[in-house]
C-alpha cells in the first residue's frame, strides 16, 4: 500500500471510529450509492462516436478509426510518418500488449526531449468531445503534457454521453481512484499573447485520437 493510501485509510479509520462503526458492507454501499442525485443531462440525438469526433475535431484535435486493437501500431506509425517525427515514443504500459515495429519505445515518464507519447484513454465523453485520462504507473501523467505530439488510443465502446457517466467509470476502476485525472479536449492553447491563439502553450501542440472499433 502506498503512503497516500495509508494516509487515506488512516483518515477513514478516524471517521469510522468517531461514528463507532467499521467499514460498510457491500449492501450498505450499494444503498448509499443509489441515493446519489441524478443530474439533468442534455439530450443527445447524435451517435456517440460521431459526436465525440465532431466536437474533438472542432478544437483542432484529429482522429482516425481502426477496426481492432491490432491495427493501433500501424495507425501510430502512419501518424508519426505523416508528421515526420523521430522513430521513438513514450508508450504507456497500458498498451504493452502491442508491438510497435520500427519504433523505439519506453514505458517511463516522458522526458523533456520526448517528441511523441502514446497513451490509453480511460474513456471518451461525447457531450464536450473530451478524453478522460487516469494517471498511474501504466499511464504517466507526463505523457499528457510534455511531448509536442500526443497520440491517444480510445475504445469506441468506452465513449459515454455525459460527464456523469465518465465519473462513474472512474469510480469503478478496479485499482481505485487515480492520483490525478486529466480531461483533454484537444491541443493545449492560449490567447494570452496579443489575443492570438497559440497551440502548445501548456502541453501538446497536436493531439490525435485513434478510435478502436
Amino acid at each position: 500500500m502506498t503512503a497516500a493510501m495509508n494516509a487515506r485509510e488512516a483518515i477513514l479509520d478516524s471517521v469510522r471510529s468517531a461514528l463507532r462503526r467499521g467499514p460498510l458492507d457491500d449492501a450498505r454501499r450499494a444503498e448509499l450509492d443509489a441515493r446519489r442525485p441524478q443530474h439533468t443531462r442534455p439530450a443527445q440525438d447524435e451517435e456517440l462516436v460521431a459526436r465525440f469526433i465532431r466536437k474533438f475535431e472542432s478544437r483542432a484535435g484529429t482522429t482516425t478509426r481502426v477496426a481492432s486493437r491490432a491495427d493501433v501500431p500501424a495507425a501510430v506509425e502512419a501518424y508519426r510518418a505523416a508528421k515526420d517525427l523521430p522513430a521513438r515514443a513514450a508508450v504507456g504500459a497500458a498498451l504493452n500488449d502491442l508491438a510497435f515495429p520500427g519504433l523505439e519505445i519506453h514505458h517511463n515518464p516522458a522526458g523533456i526531449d520526448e517528441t511523441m507519447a502514446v497513451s490509453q484513454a480511460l474513456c471518451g465523453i461525447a457531450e464536450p468531445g473530451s478524453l478522460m485520462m487516469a494517471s498511474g504507473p501504466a499511464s504517466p501523467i507526463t505523457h499528457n503534457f510534455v511531448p509536442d505530439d500526443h497520440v491517444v488510443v480510445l475504445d469506441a465502446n468506452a465513449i459515454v454521453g455525459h460527464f456523469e457517466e465518465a465519473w462513474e467509470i472512474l469510480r469503478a476502476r478496479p485499482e481505485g481512484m487515480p492520483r490525478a485525472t486529466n480531461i483533454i479536449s484537444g491541443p493545449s492553447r492560449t490567447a494570452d499573447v496579443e489575443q492570438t491563439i497559440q497551440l502548445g502553450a501548456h502541453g501538446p501542440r497536436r493531439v490525435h485520437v485513434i478510435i478502436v472499433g
Side-chain angles (χ1 to χ4, degrees):
M1 182 179 293
T2 66
M5 288 299 292
N6 279 328
R8 178 176 181 273
E9 288 305 316
I11 293 169
L12 292 176
D13 285 342
S14 295
V15 174
R16 292 172 187 136
S17 178
L19 294 173
R20 295 184 174 84
R21 67 163 176 78
L24 298 177
D25 59 30
D26 290 343
R28 181 61 172 158
R29 284 175 180 269
E31 179 186 343
L32 292 175
D33 281 343
R35 291 184 187 177
R36 286 186 292 111
Q38 297 297 312
H39 301 289
T40 300
R41 304 174 189 182
Q44 295 182 9
D45 57 3
E46 190 175 3
E47 192 266 334
L48 292 182
V49 177
R51 180 182 174 91
F52 173 88
I53 291 172
R54 178 174 63 81
K55 298 291 285 185
F56 189 77
E57 291 186 346
S58 73
R59 292 185 296 271
T62 58
T63 64
T64 189
R65 298 193 70 171
V66 297
S68 71
R69 193 171 176 85
D71 299 319
V72 167
V76 170
E77 174 57 22
Y79 176 85
R80 185 203 67 79
K83 301 299 182 185
D84 195 25
L85 301 175
R88 65 176 187 274
V91 178
L95 298 168
N96 64 7
D97 59 308
L98 300 176
F100 293 87
L103 195 62
E104 178 186 342
I105 69 170
H106 67 83
H107 301 306
N108 302 318
I112 192 65
D113 296 325
E114 210 75 66
T115 56
M116 181 172 73
V118 186
S119 305
Q120 175 74 52
L122 179 65
C123 65
I125 310 165
E127 180 182 356
S130 300
L131 299 160
M132 177 175 278
M133 313 293 291
S135 71
S139 185
I141 196 170
T142 53
H143 291 190
N144 302 342
F145 294 100
V146 177
D148 268 354
D149 288 81
H150 192 194
V151 180
V152 181
V153 179
L154 172 65
D155 294 327
N157 60 11
I159 298 176
V160 297
H162 304 90
F163 269 110
E164 289 84 353
E165 296 158 85
W167 294 123
E168 292 291 344
I169 291 173
L170 188 70
R171 293 178 70 245
R173 290 191 343 141
E175 58 270 58
M177 292 290 284
R179 183 170 184 175
T181 302
N182 296 125
I183 306 296
I184 298 175
S185 302
S188 169
R189 64 181 59 207
T190 184
D192 289 347
V193 181
E194 298 182 350
Q195 298 301 298
T196 300
I197 294 294
Q198 298 290 330
L199 298 182
H202 313 292
R205 296 178 186 276
R206 293 169 290 274
V207 180
H208 182 68
V209 180
I210 299 172
I211 301 172
V212 180

